[in-house]
Amino acid sequence: MKRLLSLFCLIWACTVPALAQTTTVTGQVTDGDTKDPLPGVVVLVQGTTNGTSTDMEGKFSLNVPSPETANLVVSYVGYQTQTIKIGNQTQLNISLKADTKALEEVVVVGYGTQKKGDVTVAVASVEGKSIAERGTVNPLQAVQGQVAGVDISAGTGRAGSSYNIQIRGQNSLAGGSPLYVVDGVIVSDINFLNPQDIAKMDILKDAASTAIYGSRGSNGVVIVTTKQGSTVKGEATISYDGYTGIRQNARMPDFMSGDEVWEYRQNSYIVPELIAGNNPTTIGSAGGDNPTIADRVANKQYTNWRDLVLRTGTQNNHWLTISGTSSNNIQYIIGAGYQNEKGNLINEEFDRYNFKASADHKLNDRWAAGASFNFSLAEIERGSDLAVTNAFRMSPIFSPYDADGNLVFRPGQIAIPGTTNVTSITSSVNPLLDNANSENNTRRSFGVGNLYLQYSPVKWIDIRSTFSPRITFDRTGRYWGSQTENRGGLQPAAEMQNQEAFSYILDNLITARKTYGAHSITFTGLHSLQQDRLESSFIRATNLPFNSSFYNLGTAAVRERVESGFSKSSLVSYMARVNYYFRDKYLVTLATRWDGSSKLAPGQKWSSFPSASLAWRLSEENFIKDIPLIYDLKARFSAGIAGNNNNINAYGTQMNLSNPVFYDYGGTLGLGYTSNRLPNQELTWERTREYDLGLDYALLDGRISGSIDVYDKLSKGVIMDRDIAIENGWVSIKDNVGSVSNKGIELSLKTINVSGGDFTWSTTFNFARNKNAIVELLDEKIDLPGNAWFIGKPINVNYNFVYDGVWQESERDEALKYKQLPGQAKVKDLDNNGVLNNADRAIIGQRDPKWSGGFSTQLNYKAFDLSASLFARQGHQVYSPFHAQFVNFGDRGGTKLDVNYYMPENNITPTRVSNEYPMPGRPGDYWPLVGYYKDVSFVKVQNISLGYNLPTELLKRIKLKTLRVYANVLNPFVFTDFDGFDPESASGIDPSAGTQITNSTTGSLNNTGISTITYQVGVNLKF
């Protein structure tokens, strides 16, 4: 008994200290930025295997021996690992910071992802946060200036404008746009997306990265990943991101005042008299003999027409999501959004509704499934096509209202009191009436989704099948009432176009990953089926008996056009890609894709698009590791071939029937059809070969990082019309007989200038220069001046006479040699033969910028954040429809830009001396040819934003996770020499209109839009 008692005491003595030394430590791990709980975080006692992981609420509980001397190691993928000394703490609140090391960034490369450190091709990424914080309506606008080599510009300056994007220059004579992929689905554009819904945008720039998209990749690929259920972790979260703002008119061009317009009008009548040898003392033909006009001028009763059609616009964006993980481990996100933009012109508005849902579920270790759907409904109203033109060109002498306060139909036809006559200065319709009685309404419903099922027979193999449908309904309705410029008092007219498009892609993908010692291999194989179907209809009717818009066309007395269309095409593809890594130092990617298209003729349907890329992680070599300055260094080289299928339609290699043709058949009217083309059975894809040499670097522990890329692209088989003998029945045939080159350099730089304590400051910078040149035309090195295409010169150039100022009185004799007069526009006689003809035309500018760049900066101090961004497009020239209207000195009746024009000595108005703008009324034959080309280089401060995150303790009391309020201003400053509206949309050409753009294409003033500054206040909220 005594021995048993002694043994019990010994055990008790040993157990009590042990129990005293073990403590249960509990806590919660959250994201350092969003404050969201992090599930699955590994919490481990340092130096032991004793550990646990956090639950769905980020909470953990762990028994820790000797906590006074123990440390916890907290680690989670994508976050910086933390080591925490426990001491006497039993409750821990741990906040993990995201790992800022760029090498850990995951990049979407098409049919898969890679760590940025493993990427061997030229890929750029923009995070969703950077897109959302710009406060733009269109997601592409938010990416302007953020990616080197990606030139983005506004298609128009109007509400709901689309944006143009060109990646590393233009490869085809017919233009082209990049391939857009949203959540794995190929779409025509990304205008349907709400910027708040974007998680990330990856841009594939070189042929080695785009070749896996085969015949569609040569213009680059834009891959958008929206917020998905698969990324959701933790408990249910409701998020709201929204802003409201006003758009104010800004930087209005300097138009003539009422007195200046009247002086100009008189001058436009004086000049012809002076040329005829007269020098009058009065000029009643200008309208001054009309007492009404004389009274308005004398009393300065002028109308500011611009104020009548302009207004302060508004912007709103609301985006609400619910996300989380259910009890049975289904990750989900459901979202809805509304965007509204009221334009700065009356009768201009844009609305868009978005709905989305995404769910992912890992059924077990081998099976996973998921689905996502994104729906958008957008509507744009633009009103009258002539509203902008007439509103700004209307003379201030005109009054919009009569004596009774009613709108005047044609204000430029001013009645002469006491008579039935009028002084007709212009027959243009009152823009207030024109806009009120016009409709230009586009309504688009767009739905895209995918459904996938994944099976993993073993841990290193994934087999996935994805079905991705897409459906689009487009309706464009136009209506012109009686009181519009289009109808001029006649009965109304209207038209409607409907398009229905449906397509689907079925991708079967296998991915195998295996590591053997220092060797890592990933194989990706793809089989893909795609089908596209399009139906369209169009009807135009005139003489409608009612003001019934475009909804009751059947009541019209005349149906001018009734058309319908159909097309269907399919594409079958196979792709194989191998990624090989040795010691994570030597990286190789080999890929090829085979595309077979129904668009091409037998024997030409299939084509392959191979690529190869290499990378060397120099920073992993011992001779680099010893250099403390270098944090990471990787050299890349890639070569590949990508295709362009934009320029062949569904039946482009077949002979089709034309529209009906009436002809004389033995004295009677016959109806028949002719073939619309001579088909080319050898026609195939345009192909672009590209070499890219790149260097990715990070210095000073990653505080300085960036990349440098030099590339050389050569597009062969460029499609163009080749002349053939007229005996064939046609004068030309489409053929692969052109070649285009693009060579350039891209630089990007990111610096963390200050990082310590409560203050951080970072900046980013990028620069790109591209040299575009035509190499061959018609398989020869010959110029085609009629198309303004020249060997060794860019595709998009302005080819015309060279403006040389204004003929001065001292040059009268020389001007007469060229049948010109002092005061008229002078052009250069380049061959000095005394004759001006086509031999004196030259390239006077290029329409694409010579270089572009961007800069942004971000400052954080405690709970405050301040950011600003700007971008630049330099060295390009456009034909300006603004100047074609407002410095058209052959026109007498409208308002003009207030410029210094030439005016000879006369008895009525002051003499003017100018070598920049010619005289009114007779500006010379060459002024309309050369006077409207303008340099539109600019630097634009895109946005400045100031935000504040409310304190955590306060949020806890009101049951919120995060709350940030901010103010944002868009386009506050623009630096440019362009004296029209916004230089970004100065060309007035909207590529989204669907018409082919050539060097002779001129834009519309209706597409330019005035310059604006937008002021926003917004909130980012989670609870």
Side-chain angles (χ1 to χ4, degrees):
M1 183 68 181
K2 190 178 291 185
R3 288 180 181 177
L4 185 61
L5 183 60
S6 299
L7 179 61
F8 177 78
C9 292
L10 179 62
I11 293 173
W12 176 259
C14 293
T15 303
V16 169
L19 291 173
Q21 293 171 8
T22 300
T23 302
T24 299
V25 177
T26 61
Q28 185 180 36
V29 183
T30 59
D31 183 294
D33 294 324
T34 66
K35 311 306 179 185
D36 291 338
L38 296 176
V41 177
V42 176
V43 182
L44 191 68
V45 178
Q46 190 175 36
T48 73
T49 58
N50 179 25
T52 186
S53 60
T54 58
D55 61 16
M56 299 306 298
E57 296 181 350
K59 296 179 180 179
F60 68 91
S61 177
L62 181 64
N63 292 326
V64 181
S66 305
E68 294 83 3
T69 59
N71 295 328
L72 289 185
V73 178
V74 184
S75 60
Y76 193 50
V77 175
Y79 290 81
Q80 295 177 359
T81 299
Q82 284 193 32
T83 301
I84 300 171
K85 185 175 180 60
I86 299 176
N88 59 0
Q89 303 177 86
T90 58
Q91 174 68 36
L92 298 174
N93 291 316
I94 303 170
S95 178
L96 292 185
K97 293 184 178 180
D99 190 347
T100 58
K101 188 175 181 182
L103 297 179
E104 298 304 319
E105 181 183 347
V106 175
V107 177
V108 179
V109 292
Y111 305 106
T113 60
Q114 288 180 289
K115 289 183 179 180
K116 187 173 182 180
D118 295 338
V119 171
T120 58
V121 292
V123 181
S125 301
V126 183
E127 295 296 330
K129 181 180 178 182
S130 298
I131 295 173
E133 69 182 9
R134 297 290 177 95
T136 62
V137 174
N138 189 291
L140 283 179
Q141 183 184 2
V143 185
Q144 283 182 308
Q146 293 205 54
V147 181
V150 178
D151 181 36
I152 301 173
S153 60
T156 74
R158 307 292 296 276
S161 171
S162 59
Y163 279 74
N164 317 317
I165 178 170
Q166 194 170 89
I167 300 173
R168 292 187 169 181
Q170 182 174 322
N171 302 315
S172 174
L173 296 173
S177 60
L179 182 72
Y180 296 98
V181 182
V182 176
D183 296 334
V185 186
I186 294 173
V187 295
S188 57
D189 57 59
I190 57 174
N191 296 332
F192 68 95
L193 289 173
N194 190 312
Q196 301 289 344
D197 185 36
I198 294 178
K200 194 176 187 183
M201 185 182 295
D202 295 280
I203 301 175
L204 313 185
K205 298 192 287 185
D206 64 342
S209 61
T210 64
I212 61 168
Y213 288 98
S215 59
R216 299 165 293 188
S218 69
N219 294 315
V221 180
V222 178
I223 302 176
V224 178
T225 304
T226 64
K227 295 173 181 177
Q228 297 292 304
S230 58
T231 62
V232 175
K233 296 180 175 65
E235 61 185 358
T237 298
I238 299 176
S239 301
Y240 169 77
D241 300 283
Y243 62 77
T244 186
I246 60 171
R247 287 182 19 149
Q248 290 189 341
N249 306 312
R251 298 176 285 271
M252 187 62 65
D254 187 13
F255 291 100
M256 291 180 177
S257 65
D259 287 340
E260 290 166 334
V261 169
W262 178 242
E263 181 184 337
Y264 169 85
R265 179 165 175 79
Q266 292 182 90
N267 286 337
S268 68
Y269 281 87
I270 294 170
V271 166
E273 294 289 336
L274 295 176
I275 293 175
N278 305 317
N279 194 354
T281 56
T282 60
I283 192 74
S285 56
D289 54 357
N290 185 322
T292 300
I293 295 177
D295 183 64
R296 290 177 182 174
V297 171
N299 295 303
K300 302 187 185 303
Q301 295 176 348
Y302 299 129
T303 299
N304 188 331
W305 286 89
R306 296 180 292 280
D307 287 350
L308 298 179
V309 296
L310 292 175
R311 63 184 179 183
T312 298
T314 61
Q315 276 188 355
N316 293 281
N317 190 356
H318 307 284
W319 182 252
L320 180 69
T321 62
I322 303 173
S323 61
T325 303
S326 67
S327 58
N328 56 350
N329 206 32
I330 295 178
Q331 298 167 292
Y332 64 88
I333 182 170
I334 301 170
Y338 170 67
Q339 287 178 278
N340 167 266
E341 186 173 23
K342 185 173 75 173
N344 292 76
L345 293 166
I346 57 175
N347 204 14
E348 176 184 86
E349 192 143 353
F350 168 75
D351 291 280
R352 180 166 62 216
Y353 300 87
N354 286 88
F355 305 94
K356 75 160 303 171
S358 173
D360 292 84
H361 184 37
K362 190 169 183 180
L363 305 173
N364 51 49
D365 291 339
R366 294 192 175 185
W367 290 94
S372 67
F373 178 71
N374 205 320
F375 175 79
S376 167
L377 173 63
E379 186 169 358
I380 300 177
E381 175 59 55
R382 289 278 173 84
S384 168
D385 286 346
L386 296 171
V388 178
T389 301
N390 285 342
F392 282 82
R393 71 181 296 273
M394 277 285 177
S395 171
I397 299 167
F398 308 156
S399 173
Y401 302 99
D402 61 19
D404 297 324
N406 300 312
L407 288 171
V408 179
F409 184 49
R410 289 192 168 100
Q413 296 184 344
I414 303 172
I416 300 175
T419 73
T420 58
N421 299 324
V422 298
T423 300
S424 182
I425 298 178
T426 177
S427 61
S428 296
V429 170
N430 190 330
L432 301 180
L433 280 172
D434 197 358
N435 223 354
N437 290 276
S438 298
E439 292 180 57
N440 182 0
N441 187 277
T442 300
R443 188 179 181 90
R444 186 189 196 201
S445 302
F446 184 89
V448 61
N450 65 60
L451 176 70
Y452 78 86
L453 180 65
Q454 181 171 302
Y455 174 62
S456 304
V458 291
K459 289 185 177 181
W460 52 279
I461 295 179
D462 296 327
I463 302 172
R464 174 186 286 225
S465 289
T466 305
F467 178 70
S468 305
R470 182 190 76 190
I471 189 165
T472 308
F473 296 97
D474 282 309
R475 190 270 294 142
T476 300
R478 304 290 304 274
Y479 172 76
W480 300 271
S482 296
Q483 293 184 313
T484 60
E485 187 88 9
N486 183 283
R487 301 304 294 161
L490 300 176
Q491 284 186 298
E495 65 184 35
M496 180 186 289
Q497 180 174 10
N498 285 286
Q499 285 190 336
E500 176 188 325
F502 175 76
S503 68
Y504 70 83
I505 300 174
L506 177 61
D507 286 339
N508 298 298
L509 192 71
I510 181 170
T511 305
R513 307 173 187 86
K514 201 66 176 176
T515 300
Y516 303 94
H519 306 273
S520 296
I521 299 176
T522 300
F523 170 78
T524 304
L526 169 76
H527 171 250
S528 179
L529 298 172
Q530 178 176 344
Q531 187 177 96
D532 298 278
R533 175 190 173 100
L534 174 68
E535 296 182 19
S536 63
S537 62
F538 176 85
I539 181 172
R540 176 181 169 87
T542 57
N543 297 346
L544 288 162
F546 314 108
N547 294 330
S548 53
S549 185
F550 44 80
Y551 294 112
N552 199 8
L553 301 184
T555 62
V558 180
R559 297 183 184 94
E560 292 185 350
R561 287 170 57 196
V562 178
E563 299 174 358
S564 61
F566 171 84
S567 70
K568 185 178 181 180
S569 63
S570 58
L571 187 74
V572 180
S573 305
Y574 300 91
M575 186 273 291
R577 178 175 61 201
V578 176
N579 301 97
Y580 169 71
Y581 313 134
F582 178 64
R583 298 185 187 278
D584 279 338
K585 287 194 294 185
Y586 311 109
L587 317 172
V588 179
T589 300
L590 301 174
T592 189
R593 177 165 177 144
W594 298 266
D595 277 351
S597 173
S598 65
K599 295 181 179 181
L600 300 178
Q604 300 293 332
K605 290 185 179 294
W606 286 91
S607 190
S608 64
F609 302 91
S611 66
S613 54
L614 312 169
W616 180 16
R617 293 277 296 279
L618 292 160
S619 54
E620 296 299 312
E621 300 289 355
N622 291 330
F623 63 88
I624 295 292
K625 285 183 176 181
D626 295 333
I627 304 175
L629 173 69
I630 299 177
Y631 183 64
D632 183 70
L633 191 63
K634 181 178 67 176
R636 296 179 278 104
F637 175 76
S638 68
I641 296 175
N644 175 25
N645 68 359
N646 291 334
N647 303 328
I648 304 177
N649 61 42
Y651 311 108
T653 58
Q654 302 177 30
M655 182 178 287
N656 310 127
L657 293 179
S658 68
N659 291 327
V661 176
F662 293 96
Y663 62 95
D664 182 5
Y665 183 71
T668 62
L669 186 65
L671 175 63
Y673 298 86
T674 63
S675 55
N676 64 350
R677 70 170 66 88
L678 181 64
N680 182 355
Q681 298 290 307
E682 302 297 318
L683 197 67
T684 186
W685 307 132
E686 299 177 347
R687 295 167 68 87
T688 299
R689 180 273 301 154
E690 182 174 6
Y691 302 124
D692 183 281
L693 181 63
L695 183 70
D696 300 326
Y697 61 89
L699 310 174
L700 300 176
D701 291 329
R703 296 187 65 156
I704 299 175
S705 60
S707 63
I708 303 170
D709 279 270
V710 179
Y711 60 87
D712 180 347
K713 293 201 298 182
L714 181 64
S715 299
K716 291 187 175 182
V718 173
I719 297 174
M720 60 183 298
D721 290 327
R722 175 170 59 84
D723 292 340
I724 58 176
I726 197 171
E727 288 80 6
N728 289 286
W730 291 266
V731 295
S732 66
I733 186 173
K734 287 194 178 296
D735 205 351
N736 302 97
V737 287
S739 182
V740 174
S741 168
N742 284 280
K743 298 178 180 179
I745 184 171
E746 298 168 354
L747 308 174
S748 65
L749 173 68
K750 180 178 181 179
T751 62
I752 301 174
N753 307 312
V754 178
S755 179
D758 295 324
F759 182 71
T760 61
W761 173 34
S762 63
T763 56
T764 62
F765 165 82
N766 70 78
F767 168 86
R769 183 179 180 89
N770 181 75
K771 182 180 180 182
N772 175 259
I774 297 173
V775 178
E776 287 184 345
L777 294 168
L778 302 175
D779 278 345
E780 299 180 65
K781 292 188 178 296
I782 59 172
D783 297 333
L784 296 178
N787 299 93
W789 290 336
F790 302 90
I791 301 299
K793 302 299 181 181
I795 296 173
N796 301 315
V797 298
N798 295 317
Y799 178 67
N800 215 314
F801 294 98
V802 180
Y803 183 53
D804 197 27
V806 178
W807 289 106
Q808 302 298 308
E809 185 62 38
S810 60
E811 300 173 303
R812 176 177 288 273
D813 292 340
E814 185 180 358
L816 291 173
K817 294 178 183 178
Y818 295 99
K819 301 179 182 180
Q820 302 291 296
L821 295 170
Q824 295 185 331
K826 178 170 62 173
V827 298
K828 291 184 178 181
D829 180 7
L830 296 179
D831 55 11
N832 293 314
N833 64 354
V835 177
L836 294 174
N837 53 30
N838 284 338
D840 297 303
R841 292 176 181 263
I843 295 174
I844 60 175
Q846 67 179 59
R847 298 165 72 166
D848 296 317
K850 293 181 179 178
W851 67 267
S852 60
F855 172 83
S856 64
T857 186
Q858 176 88 34
L859 295 92
N860 294 83
Y861 177 70
K862 293 186 177 180
F864 290 93
D865 59 87
L866 175 67
S867 64
S869 64
L870 62 82
F871 73 104
R873 303 179 79 230
Q874 295 288 315
H876 57 308
Q877 179 196 68
V878 301
Y879 177 90
S880 168
F882 175 89
H883 289 85
Q885 182 62 238
F886 298 113
V887 292
N888 175 9
F889 288 107
D891 170 64
R892 297 171 169 178
T895 295
K896 296 291 176 283
L897 203 60
D898 186 15
V899 296
N900 182 31
Y901 59 86
Y902 186 99
M903 186 62 200
E905 184 178 355
N906 67 92
N907 293 323
I908 301 175
T909 61
T911 302
R912 290 170 170 261
V913 178
S914 175
N915 195 37
E916 186 177 5
Y917 290 96
M919 58 187 177
R922 296 291 188 273
D925 296 337
Y926 296 98
W927 179 247
L929 299 176
V930 300
Y932 312 139
Y933 289 97
K934 297 294 177 179
D935 185 284
V936 287
S937 301
F938 66 86
V939 176
K940 180 178 287 190
V941 177
Q942 190 176 38
N943 84 307
I944 302 173
S945 178
L946 176 64
Y948 175 71
N949 290 280
L950 270 68
T952 304
E953 294 302 320
L954 174 61
L955 296 179
K956 286 182 179 179
R957 288 200 294 268
I958 57 177
K959 305 298 183 182
L960 294 179
K961 293 180 180 178
T962 62
L963 176 58
R964 175 179 177 264
V965 293
Y966 65 90
N968 188 30
V969 56
L970 279 70
N971 302 327
F973 307 105
V974 178
F975 305 97
T976 181
D977 291 331
F978 183 68
D979 56 355
F981 293 144
D982 196 321
E984 187 179 351
S985 55
S987 71
I989 297 175
D990 183 8
S992 67
T995 56
Q996 183 171 335
I997 298 170
T998 68
N999 283 334
S1000 61
T1001 302
T1002 56
S1004 166
L1005 182 64
N1006 191 54
N1007 285 335
T1008 57
I1010 63 172
S1011 185
T1012 62
I1013 299 176
T1014 302
Y1015 301 92
Q1016 299 173 344
V1017 291
V1019 61
N1020 307 120
L1021 170 67
K1022 286 187 179 182
F1023 55 92

